[in-house]
Amino acid sequence: MSQLANLIRDIRGKKTQKDFSLLVGVAPQTISKIEVTNGKSDPSKISLTTIYRISRKLHLPREKHLELIQAWIRLQLGNDFHEFDIHPKTTTLKENNSSFMSQVLQMSPDLSAEDQKIVLAALKSPEIRKAIKAMMSFAKNE
């Protein structure tokens, strides 16, 4: 089952597909197509407009709306989704990881792809970040 189907089912809760479709202004067949599990229908044919309509009608929070859009993109791209880095744009510095990560990689253009993966993995580790902070503090005191 697709991520989009799981999200819609979670949002729909205990409502029937018919009741949910009336609530969001989408045909019951469309909801059924999104949630398809039998392989007889093609949920990738769902339009982005449908996703926007569901979000708008339910007044979903921005995060949930973006999660639906990301799931829709995943469905459209299929197996190629993992070839892309698709995440919602963020406005806070803490969350703006793509800019930070690109700066890290630009500082070390001579690193091999494997070394770049190691650096990224190290930066994701809280223990390693604490160790780097301690080393930087030690270096400042010398």
Side-chain angles (χ1 to χ4, degrees):
M1 183 178 324
S2 73
Q3 180 186 13
L4 182 61
N6 287 330
L7 286 169
I8 293 296
R9 281 190 178 175
D10 287 345
I11 292 168
R12 179 168 63 89
K14 294 186 179 191
K15 291 178 185 70
T16 65
Q17 286 183 347
K18 184 177 181 180
D19 289 343
F20 184 74
S21 70
L22 290 171
L23 179 66
V24 298
V26 172
Q29 299 88 336
T30 302
I31 301 301
S32 180
K33 246 188 230 180
I34 292 172
E35 295 182 1
V36 70
T37 56
N38 61 11
K40 292 182 181 179
S41 183
D42 186 1
S44 68
K45 300 291 185 202
I46 303 303
S47 73
L48 185 56
T49 304
T50 300
I51 303 305
Y52 275 99
R53 180 176 291 135
I54 292 169
S55 274
R56 205 172 36 251
K57 291 282 189 170
L58 296 176
H59 304 286
L60 294 177
R62 179 179 184 272
E63 295 79 22
K64 185 58 80 174
H65 170 72
L66 295 175
E67 193 176 355
L68 282 173
I69 292 172
Q70 186 177 18
W72 179 84
I73 293 169
R74 176 185 297 265
L75 190 61
Q76 301 306 309
L77 293 176
N79 292 334
D80 290 333
F81 180 79
H82 298 291
E83 298 295 325
F84 296 90
D85 185 20
I86 299 174
H87 301 283
K89 182 178 177 182
T90 58
T91 55
T92 64
L93 286 176
K94 182 178 180 186
E95 295 176 14
N96 194 0
N97 289 334
S98 62
S99 173
F100 171 74
M101 290 303 199
S102 65
Q103 286 179 334
V104 169
L105 294 176
Q106 286 174 359
M107 290 187 318
S108 311
D110 57 332
L111 288 178
S112 69
E114 185 62 31
D115 285 343
Q116 289 176 3
K117 287 179 187 177
I118 291 169
V119 168
L120 292 177
L123 290 174
K124 290 178 183 178
S125 167
E127 294 83 9
I128 292 176
R129 287 195 311 270
K130 284 179 189 176
I132 292 171
K133 187 175 181 180
M135 287 187 288
M136 295 299 291
S137 176
F138 179 76
K140 285 181 186 177
N141 292 333
E142 283 190 2

